[in-house]
Amino acid sequence: MSEQSRPADAGAFLEDDDALPEYAERVLEVAELIPPGRVMTYGDVAEWLEEGGPRQVGRVMSLYGGAVPWWRVVRADGVLLPGHEQRALAHYRAEDTPLKQASRAAHGHLPRLDMKRARWDGGGRADAHT
């Protein structure tokens, strides 16, 4: 999730070294709109933009999401982002994001997001995904 580190193929997203591609800028703008304590899935963001899909949004977030509230763009199943679970969990707790407690059988006993309560529909936008 670091904005500093980019894979070798990140150039495919960049028009030049200083500019973000338009799609990436749009994805990051949506991430910044999500209120504290709420989340949108990768698919929700793509639907909001009416362009791309969950994988494209995930790719943008992995390459450029470090400068925005990345923890608010999540997997649809509510599982915390692998490799960033503890950082995300700290943000969720600070923002009072609804969580479901993990069962004893859950790997690492990490909670999941309570998607029914945490999911944001875009704040009244008529064509927003709920």
Side-chain angles (χ1 to χ4, degrees):
M1 296 305 301
S2 172
E3 66 208 81
Q4 304 297 328
S5 61
R6 270 192 233 145
D9 65 345
F13 274 99
L14 291 176
E15 296 160 359
D16 63 49
D17 286 339
D18 296 329
L20 284 176
E22 181 183 339
Y23 184 72
E25 287 181 13
R26 293 174 61 213
V27 167
L28 299 178
E29 286 171 3
V30 173
E32 290 177 329
L33 292 174
I34 303 168
R38 304 300 297 274
V39 299
M40 288 180 90
T41 69
Y42 298 112
D44 292 341
V45 173
E47 193 171 318
W48 170 285
L49 294 172
E50 298 178 348
E51 184 179 354
R55 289 178 188 244
Q56 289 83 3
V57 171
R59 180 81 172 144
V60 168
M61 293 302 295
S62 72
L63 292 174
Y64 310 112
V68 299
W70 54 266
W71 58 92
R72 297 182 192 154
V73 182
V74 301
R75 294 171 40 157
D77 62 5
V79 171
L80 305 186
L81 184 64
H84 301 278
E85 299 94 341
Q86 295 303 322
R87 286 180 48 213
L89 191 55
H91 287 291
Y92 297 139
R93 288 183 171 146
E95 295 181 356
D96 292 325
T97 306
L99 299 169
K100 289 184 176 181
Q101 290 306 312
S103 69
R104 290 181 186 229
H107 178 70
H109 304 288
L110 290 171
R112 287 184 179 212
L113 291 160
D114 185 339
M115 294 303 291
K116 288 182 182 178
R117 294 177 35 223
R119 202 169 192 174
W120 186 59
D121 68 1
R125 183 175 159 178
D127 59 343
H129 183 73
T130 55

